[in-house]
Amino acid sequence: VAPGDLIHADRHGAVVVPPEVIPALAGAISRLLATERIILDAARKPGFDFAAFEAAWSAFEKARV
């Protein structure tokens, strides 16, 4: 770690974010939140069950590529 480094840390550990990826972070974070929302929105609906989870997971997988 050096002065000026961008560090991401959570309960799983810490990493120094390479400077060359910093310009792409905002877009990557937006895509991550959008794909996670597919699962979370489905899970919040009444009647959420395993079949609904499977459908949401399939949509999540398709959206990630």
Side-chain angles (χ1 to χ4, degrees):
V1 177
D5 282 349
L6 176 62
I7 300 169
H8 168 75
D10 62 16
R11 66 183 176 160
H12 303 292
V15 295
V16 175
V17 179
E20 62 271 14
V21 304
I22 292 172
L25 282 179
I29 292 167
S30 292
R31 285 188 304 278
L32 172 71
L33 293 175
T35 55
E36 284 184 342
R37 197 171 303 118
I38 294 168
I39 301 292
L40 295 174
D41 287 350
R44 291 182 178 116
K45 290 182 181 177
F48 182 71
D49 59 10
F50 192 74
F53 172 75
E54 285 182 311
W57 188 262
S58 176
F60 167 80
E61 288 293 334
K62 288 177 186 170
R64 290 184 343 141
V65 288

